[in-house]
Amino acid sequence: MKRIGTVVRTAQGLAVLRADATDEDAADAHSNEIGTIVLDDSLDEVGRVVDVFGPVDQPYLAVTPDAGVHLPGLVGSTLYAR
């Protein structure tokens, strides 16, 4: 499991994360790729990455939530990649 970033806001039914600064480990884990499964700190699946945008060294990730996930409750949360 790799920490990928923090939810900074919700928009159009998506959680928007600010990714942690990239390093060699993050690049090896492919944690910023579309389709990556995203987990919360209790290891519950939150959704999947559907878009990566912004600066290369610290991009934003758009995550589409799984059914039953309360998006406003995720703001400020740290999320992880499986």
Side-chain angles (χ1 to χ4, degrees):
M1 192 168 81
K2 177 81 175 163
R3 188 172 94 177
I4 59 172
T6 303
V7 179
V8 293
R9 65 177 300 195
T10 63
Q12 300 176 353
L14 300 171
V16 179
L17 284 75
R18 180 66 178 205
D20 291 337
T22 58
D23 59 14
E24 290 181 22
D25 292 335
D28 291 342
H30 303 290
S31 59
N32 295 344
E33 288 189 353
I34 292 174
T36 299
I37 296 172
V38 178
L39 310 168
D40 63 11
D41 56 357
S42 61
L43 302 180
D44 293 326
E45 190 170 319
V46 173
R48 290 184 183 265
V49 176
V50 293
D51 196 11
V52 180
F53 58 97
V56 173
D57 61 336
Q58 195 174 16
Y60 290 93
L61 307 173
V63 174
T64 186
D66 287 345
V69 174
H70 182 66
L71 279 179
L74 291 177
V75 175
S77 299
T78 300
L79 298 181
Y80 304 85
R82 181 177 308 181

